[in-house]
Amino acid sequence: MAENKNNSAEKAKASSILEIRSLQKAFGGHVVLKDISLSVERGNVISIIGPSGSGKSTLLRCASFLETADGGDILYDGKYAMHDGVYASKAELNRCRTRFGLVFQNFNLFPHYSVLRNVSEPPIIHGVDKETARERAMELLKKMGLDGKENAYPFQLSGGQQQRVAIARALALNPEVLYFDEPTSALDPELTGEVLKVIKQLAEDKMTMVVVTHEMPFARAVSNHVIFMDGGVIVEEGHPEAVFGNPTQERTRQFLRNYQR
Amino acid sequence: MSLMTMIIKMSEGLSKTCAIFFLTLLFSLPLGMIVALLRMSKIKIVSAVTRFIITILRGTPLMLQLLAVTYGPYYLFGANVARNKLIPVVIAFSINYAAYFAEIYRGGIESIPVGQYEAAEVLGYTKFQTFMRIILPQVIKRIMPSVTNEVVTLVKDTSMAFTVSYQEMFTIGKQIANSQTSFMPFLVAGAFYYIFNVIVDWVMGRIEKRLDYYR
């Protein structure tokens, strides 16, 4: 019986694309993440909100292996990328990397590549043939509302357009989950809408996403799970209507009150 | 000696001047990249040693280095001085210029935002692919003005080969000046270097323009 129970627990875990358990991270004595746990199921859109310095971005960067965490577990599709603070082999980490895509605050497009090449080259280096990669890139650019821009260079585009190229680039590798690290924070206010619209559209297409954001109405409307972080811990989490509409923690209320002004 | 004869005699040395110039670029440009990468090595001893060598190469006269490479083997091991002086001259120039190029490369590499590396890493580029496809092309564009500076300096520095009596253009000019007690050969040499550098400037300008398609 006990064994059976264990088995089903294992299976339940396996259905999460990403699972993080008691993740810890400090930057030279300053603890940024204390014991963070979270699980991302297929088709879910999770928003992470919280004040600057609360560890939201660090959490995403640890999940994308851009920061080295100090302790805890990171699992992709039930397989350990990090087990109790010890990272898996390089090959295993590379396999995990194919499961997620990351959209940066500052886009980080390759300035010397055309829009088309920005989106088509990553699949090509992964072995997709040029023609297929190109067709798929064109398709994605069209979906992002960027048809006609394929031969432009990033510097010729607005911030909102650049961010949409970056989303297309991340999607071109067919990730199972897409991470957004404050995708609209570097944009002029009038340009955030076009990027949020694209993310919303992806949510409607059942793309699994984790979005670190300061756009509260967007987080409320698009996500089905909201995490409020402060001081390196998850203070409160739950359905957006619960967290935004009826927060149970004083810290959450205080944070949201500041945002409504 | 007529001016025409002077020009013709000195032109004969021009091919050797060009040999120093092109061979030095051929060797020092890639060597500089290797030195830059060693200088940026995470292994402390490697970067420290490289840094020390760079300070010596940049902190002592090129003329001294030319003498050391050409005659050093004779004084140290009693080896014969190279028959063809082009070899020691090009070695000395290449090593010296590699040190300067290394520092230019390093500045260029360090100026590339860390986000470029992060984006490439997340997209599954290997370290080598990241460097060759993403970083290096952007570095080349950024360092072109500094490289042009060095190349222009190199044209003029080739004249230093006279210290080891390598028969390039300036050495011949100096000999004519001595035998004819005339200042004319120096003016001719100046004109040669100037024209050479006008061409270098034009070529480098073309390359910079070709890299101007993005910002």
Side-chain angles (χ1 to χ4, degrees), chain A residues 61 64-66 97 100-102 104 107-113 117 121-122 125-126 153 155 169-170 173, chain B residues 113-127 129 133-135 137-138 142 212-215:
Chain A
R61 291 172 59 82
S64 343
F65 313 138
L66 290 177
R97 269 191 196 100
F100 64 79
L102 174 62
F104 298 86
F107 334 130
N108 290 336
L109 292 177
F110 302 135
H112 57 308
Y113 284 175
R117 189 156 175 201
E121 191 180 87
I125 67 155
H126 282 278
Y153 283 85
F155 80 93
R169 180 175 72 170
L173 291 169
Chain B
V114 67
Q116 293 288 303
Y117 291 91
E118 292 183 346
E121 183 182 330
V122 170
L123 293 166
Y125 284 62
T126 63
K127 287 228 164 87
Q129 285 168 333
R133 290 169 179 262
I134 309 300
I135 306 301
Q138 297 185 56
R142 284 181 191 212
D212 220 22
Y213 65 91
Y214 71 93
R215 258 173 245 155

Side-chain angles (χ1 to χ4, degrees), chain A residues 119-153:
Chain A
V119 181
S120 65
E121 191 180 87
I124 291 170
I125 67 155
H126 282 278
V128 175
D129 75 272
K130 273 187 186 167
E131 219 23 66
T132 315
R134 231 166 248 207
E135 273 165 31
R136 170 93 174 115
M138 292 298 283
E139 204 178 285
L140 284 166
L141 288 171
K142 195 169 177 195
K143 201 171 153 193
M144 296 294 130
L146 291 164
D147 23 351
K149 295 288 182 197
E150 60 273 7
N151 293 321
Y153 283 85

